[in-house]
Amino acid sequence: RSSKHVAQSAEGYHIGGNTPLQSYLKMENVLDAALRSGAQGIHPGYGFLSENPTFADLCEQAKIKFIGPPSTAMRRMASKSESKDIMIAAGVPVTPGYHGSNQDPQYLLEQAKKIQFPVMIKAVMGGGGKGMKISRSEHDFIEQLESAKREGRNAFNDDVVLIEKYIERPKHYEIQVFGDQYGNYVYLFERDCSIQRRHQKIIEEAPSAITPEQRHDMGTKACAAARAVGYVNAGTVEFLYDCDTKNFYFMEMNTRLQVEHPISEEITGVDLVEWQLKVASGEPLPLTQSQLRINGHAIEARVYSEDPFTFLPGRGTVDYYREPDFARVDSGVQKGTDVGIFYDPMISKLIVWGEDR
């Protein structure tokens, strides 16, 4: 009731208990709030139900606009293995690997040997670094496989895995794409999200150090990926870039707006949420690819509530809080906010822009 986002809203509706399972993940409660308020649409944010095709279907049935892609596109991109098959068919390069249905451990070991170690074992329904394990030789393969499957079962109720070549010197690049209901697609350039901890991004910047030719190639392939699944609205196509070979490979597609979208806004001058609302309202994309330009350089740092000695999430009251006047801050807290244990420890984002890096 006293949180910052409620204070900034014209109306507030109670949707359940403290935990996500009691509130933000309860589809009927969120829909009920929308219906009671007379809202015409639901913007699902970054987490919780934002990539849930069942929720998108429920919104459609309730005649409330889900501000995001159609559920069909979400379903096709949700599975890391199915999405890779779609990408191969669309001519998008994918990391060498095995993503078939045979899950016999010995068979998977033989596939890993063919790919050549080191390999990455990934839960196909995974995300947020869960269900991802590196195997460096056949000696530790079965142990890492069992660990990845166990995490997949616990986090996603699915223990199917895929195996792909582990790239030793990677960069993590992602392309911001946008599609409308008329078959138009654009890419709003790339973000470098290579600085990570526990497979979670913590600092992102745009643009990256790739050449204009690579940027065009990656952007065009990202739009092909979106077109292949009939994608509409904002999405992000993630690529792994091999610093040794200079090749890039499709990793996955996030079928929502991302936490780091502000740096794309800073370098393009585009309000991505405004575009989301326009496209959801049936309007065409406001700009074409040739009208989009990169201006300057932007960096986002995620600000966490943590114990500075262990980097584990911390809880408590924000006693002092001051935002710098030279930067953009997207914040979920203010002085006096109680940071609890139920949600992500990220409490705000610091976004800076300059004429160059």
Side-chain angles (χ1 to χ4, degrees), residues 4-13 37:
K4 186 178 179 181
H5 72 278
V6 179
Q8 290 180 332
S9 302
E11 300 173 29
Y13 291 82
S37 69

Side-chain angles (χ1 to χ4, degrees), residues 99-356:
H99 39 91
S101 57
N102 190 334
Q103 294 290 299
D104 176 68
Q106 284 307 123
Y107 182 81
L108 292 174
L109 175 58
E110 291 308 313
Q111 296 304 310
K113 285 184 192 170
K114 280 185 198 168
I115 298 161
Q116 297 184 332
F117 290 95
V119 297
M120 174 78 87
I121 306 166
K122 283 185 186 176
V124 296
M125 300 309 284
K130 294 184 178 70
M132 289 171 65
K133 299 293 169 185
I134 299 161
S135 169
R136 296 197 169 274
S137 74
E138 55 184 285
H139 303 298
D140 73 346
F141 179 80
I142 298 296
E143 181 190 338
Q144 298 293 6
L145 173 67
E146 287 171 354
S147 179
K149 280 183 168 289
R150 187 164 56 248
E151 281 188 17
R153 265 195 310 274
N154 293 341
F156 314 106
N157 199 26
D158 191 322
D159 68 355
V160 177
V161 299
L162 60 84
I163 301 165
E164 59 190 28
K165 179 72 181 163
Y166 178 65
I167 295 167
E168 294 280 9
R169 291 205 322 128
K171 286 276 192 181
H172 185 143
Y173 294 148
E174 59 187 32
I175 305 275
Q176 177 70 62
V177 293
F178 231 106
D180 64 19
Q181 294 168 33
Y182 309 101
N184 301 310
Y185 291 91
V186 296
Y187 62 92
L188 292 99
F189 312 110
E190 82 285 354
R191 301 184 283 258
D192 184 339
C193 303
S194 303
I195 299 176
Q196 301 185 11
R197 181 186 62 182
R198 298 192 286 269
H199 302 297
Q200 287 272 25
K201 303 163 190 171
I202 52 172
I203 292 176
E204 303 100 354
E205 58 181 297
S208 69
I210 57 176
T211 66
E213 292 75 24
Q214 288 173 313
R215 178 172 293 120
H216 174 74
D217 191 20
M218 214 181 276
T220 305
K221 295 279 198 318
C223 286
R227 191 175 279 110
V229 292
Y231 200 87
V232 175
N233 218 285
T236 308
V237 182
E238 306 211 359
F239 291 106
L240 210 55
Y241 178 85
D242 189 331
C243 293
D244 295 318
T245 66
K246 305 289 189 283
N247 293 323
F248 63 89
Y249 305 100
F250 171 83
M251 273 203 319
E252 61 185 346
M253 184 174 190
N254 284 290
T255 54
R256 56 175 166 80
L257 198 66
Q258 301 232 159
V259 172
E260 58 274 20
H261 80 274
I263 54 175
S264 295
E265 296 186 328
E266 293 296 314
I267 65 162
T268 59
V270 167
D271 182 329
L272 292 174
V273 179
E274 181 185 353
W275 274 33
Q276 284 193 295
L277 295 169
K278 283 178 182 290
V279 166
S281 302
E283 294 182 29
L285 290 175
L287 296 174
T288 62
Q289 194 65 58
S290 61
Q291 292 173 305
L292 287 161
R293 296 275 185 280
I294 293 174
N295 177 34
H297 197 94
I299 299 175
E300 173 180 293
R302 303 187 183 197
V303 182
Y304 292 89
S305 166
E306 290 181 337
D307 179 321
F309 300 104
T310 63
F311 297 117
L312 292 171
R315 62 172 302 187
T317 303
V318 179
D319 291 326
Y320 180 79
Y321 182 79
R322 185 172 65 86
E323 296 177 354
D325 53 14
F326 60 82
R328 168 179 168 177
V329 180
D330 289 7
S331 175
V333 300
Q334 54 204 356
K335 187 178 176 183
T337 296
D338 182 46
V339 179
I341 59 169
F342 298 108
Y343 302 105
D344 196 281
M346 182 174 66
I347 57 173
S348 67
K349 305 180 297 184
L350 176 73
I351 302 116
V352 292
W353 178 91
E355 288 184 14
D356 55 37

